[in-house]
Amino acid sequence: MSPAAMQASRSAGTGMRIQMQQNLDIGLVLTVAVLLGLGLIMVASASITIADRSYGNPMYFFQRQVVFVIMGLLIATVMYRIRLVHWERSGQGLLLFALFLLALILVPGIGVTVNGSTRWLPLGFISLQVSEFAKLFVAIYMAGYLVRKHEEVRGSFQGFIKPIAVLALCSVLLLMEPDFGATVVLMTMGMGMLFLGGARLGQFASLMGIVVAALAVLAISSPYRLKRLTSFMDPWQDPFNSGFQLTQSLIAIGSGSWTGTGLGASVQKLFYLPEAHNDFLFAVFAEEFGFIGVTLVVMLFTYLVWRCFAIGASAEKAGHAFGAYLAYGFGIWVGMQAFINMGVNMGILPTKGLTLPLMSAGGSSMLVMCGVIGLLLRIHREVHTVQSSSTSSAHMLARKKR
């Protein structure tokens, strides 16, 4: 091969690497990969005893989680390949589908009830937790609405109250399950997107007061919710009943100290801590990896949320409003859910039944979160494609002027 051909080949290879780096957010991909890897390790560790007792297979939950991760990565790949304009056009249809699913599981004989809550739709080997898909579909709808009704949201109360009515309807259906945690995340995400979309501060503050008051009334009016809200304040008052789960979680976190007891050496997962591989996976992780491990996980989620907002800011700067609002919504969603899960495990928030994104065992959460990552990467790709096209056009114009 001639020197000129070799140089051309090197240039082409360099160009392909640069293009791949621009199309794929490497930092985001690596962060998600680490969280998924830690999650699989901890699901195996936290569930090994209960899986052996319940199913005669110590790796039962781990094997299921591996399947869900693979399925989630396939979903992320598919969503990465679909142009955002198609999601924007389908927002209203997806919202109607979400409302249909939320109503469907409340029909007697259809929804699966576990521990007094009807949140799952049985589909063969997997039961879908409808609230996870509802959050995704509502985020897509809200982003599209903010693009279509941008001026109306900024300038009139009517444009502001329409999406609030949608959020309220979804929240009512969620509370009928009941799923107070998903309601809080959904409302926070939706209202955060509205605020970033330009809703006036006065309207926003008034509505926030109404929402907080309504949630407080809902919490106090139900003995079940009130008990869950108040037991976390002093779990040691009833450590063998209402405060049992939280006291075991606090013991696990306290036992971890600085460096932890070591992988697999958790004591609290041995039939002491309920939902150790699911809602309270973080407590087992803290026991086995200590403060250093907890700091790492917090930093990973902080970076993930920061990338969501950074991608959103880049999309907004490039004039891609739908991608910007969607990325902002995902950032609020992931950050809020991770914060609530960790807060519940550490006893600073009442129990909500929310998983730790990308780490806790659970098929629906894993599938939806991987889909969210796929959409984030798609937003990043389209933004960089627009920026690359603008740069190329500017260079061509400059050459013509010469």
Side-chain angles (χ1 to χ4, degrees), residues 27-105:
L28 177 61
V29 171
L30 291 176
T31 300
V32 170
V34 174
L35 286 171
L36 288 174
L38 289 175
L40 287 173
I41 291 171
M42 289 312 303
V43 167
S45 175
S47 67
I48 190 169
T49 305
I50 191 167
D52 186 39
R53 184 185 69 172
S54 302
Y55 300 98
N57 177 10
M59 294 289 105
Y60 175 80
F61 290 107
F62 171 74
Q63 291 166 355
R64 282 176 59 90
Q65 190 73 351
V66 169
V67 172
F68 291 138
V69 169
I70 293 172
M71 292 173 60
L73 293 177
L74 291 174
I75 290 174
T77 302
V78 171
M79 298 184 82
Y80 174 72
R81 293 180 178 277
I82 299 175
R83 294 174 59 201
L84 290 175
V85 65
H86 297 305
W87 294 109
E88 185 176 357
R89 291 171 182 169
S90 62
Q92 292 174 315
L94 290 174
L95 173 65
L96 292 175
F97 186 53
L99 292 171
F100 169 74
L101 291 177
L102 289 172
L104 182 64
I105 61 172

Side-chain angles (χ1 to χ4, degrees), residues 9-337:
S9 177
R10 291 195 193 98
S11 299
T14 303
M16 289 178 65
R17 285 194 296 271
I18 293 173
Q19 184 67 28
M20 184 176 293
Q21 289 174 357
Q22 289 178 340
N23 288 342
L24 205 61
D25 190 324
I26 303 300
L28 177 61
V29 171
L30 291 176
T31 300
V32 170
V34 174
L35 286 171
L36 288 174
L38 289 175
L40 287 173
I41 291 171
M42 289 312 303
V43 167
S45 175
S47 67
I48 190 169
T49 305
I50 191 167
D52 186 39
R53 184 185 69 172
S54 302
Y55 300 98
N57 177 10
M59 294 289 105
Y60 175 80
F61 290 107
F62 171 74
Q63 291 166 355
R64 282 176 59 90
Q65 190 73 351
V66 169
V67 172
F68 291 138
V69 169
I70 293 172
M71 292 173 60
L73 293 177
L74 291 174
I75 290 174
T77 302
V78 171
M79 298 184 82
Y80 174 72
R81 293 180 178 277
I82 299 175
R83 294 174 59 201
L84 290 175
V85 65
H86 297 305
W87 294 109
E88 185 176 357
R89 291 171 182 169
S90 62
Q92 292 174 315
L94 290 174
L95 173 65
L96 292 175
F97 186 53
L99 292 171
F100 169 74
L101 291 177
L102 289 172
L104 182 64
I105 61 172
L106 297 176
V107 177
I110 294 181
V112 175
T113 302
V114 179
N115 296 329
S117 298
T118 307
R119 304 177 184 177
W120 294 269
L121 190 66
L123 294 176
F125 82 101
I126 181 175
S127 294
L128 294 181
Q129 188 170 351
V130 174
S131 60
E132 296 294 334
F133 294 89
K135 285 182 278 190
L136 175 60
F137 296 158
V138 168
I140 293 172
Y141 166 78
M142 287 291 294
Y145 179 87
L146 290 170
V147 173
R148 294 192 309 272
K149 306 291 185 180
H150 181 68
E151 295 301 326
E152 193 175 340
V153 170
R154 286 175 173 264
S156 70
F157 183 74
Q158 184 180 7
F160 175 71
I161 203 64
K162 286 179 182 177
I164 293 299
V166 170
L167 293 174
L169 179 58
C170 292
S171 298
V172 168
L173 292 172
L174 285 170
L175 289 171
M176 290 175 68
E177 297 181 6
D179 194 343
F180 194 72
T183 304
V184 172
V185 173
L186 183 74
M187 288 296 295
T188 303
M189 178 187 68
M191 296 182 71
M193 292 175 72
L194 272 174
F195 179 73
L196 294 171
R200 285 185 287 184
L201 187 60
Q203 294 176 342
F204 194 84
S206 300
L207 188 63
M208 278 291 291
I210 295 173
V211 170
V212 170
L215 291 175
V217 170
L218 285 169
I220 295 173
S221 62
S222 170
Y224 162 77
R225 295 193 195 101
L226 182 61
K227 188 175 182 180
R228 294 188 73 176
L229 286 170
T230 55
S231 62
F232 86 100
M233 296 180 182
D234 187 11
W236 304 102
Q237 188 176 8
D238 191 7
F240 298 107
N241 189 10
S242 61
F244 180 77
Q245 197 168 31
L246 182 53
T247 55
Q248 300 306 311
S249 178
L250 292 175
I251 291 171
I253 294 173
S255 301
S257 189
W258 285 96
T259 58
T261 58
L263 179 61
S266 168
V267 174
Q268 297 309 116
K269 69 183 181 185
L270 305 176
F271 308 118
Y272 294 105
L273 180 62
E275 303 294 339
H277 60 292
N278 199 331
D279 298 350
F280 283 83
L281 182 84
F282 181 77
V284 179
F285 180 85
E287 183 179 3
E288 295 188 350
F289 289 94
F291 178 78
I292 294 175
V294 168
T295 302
L296 172 63
V297 169
V298 171
M299 289 175 63
L300 288 170
F301 276 108
T302 301
Y303 181 81
L304 176 56
V305 173
W306 174 76
R307 282 309 303 158
C308 290
F309 281 91
I311 290 171
S314 298
E316 190 172 9
K317 186 177 179 181
H320 202 318
F322 176 76
Y325 294 134
L326 196 57
Y328 292 150
F330 289 159
I332 296 170
W333 172 6
V334 174
M336 188 70 180
Q337 187 159 325

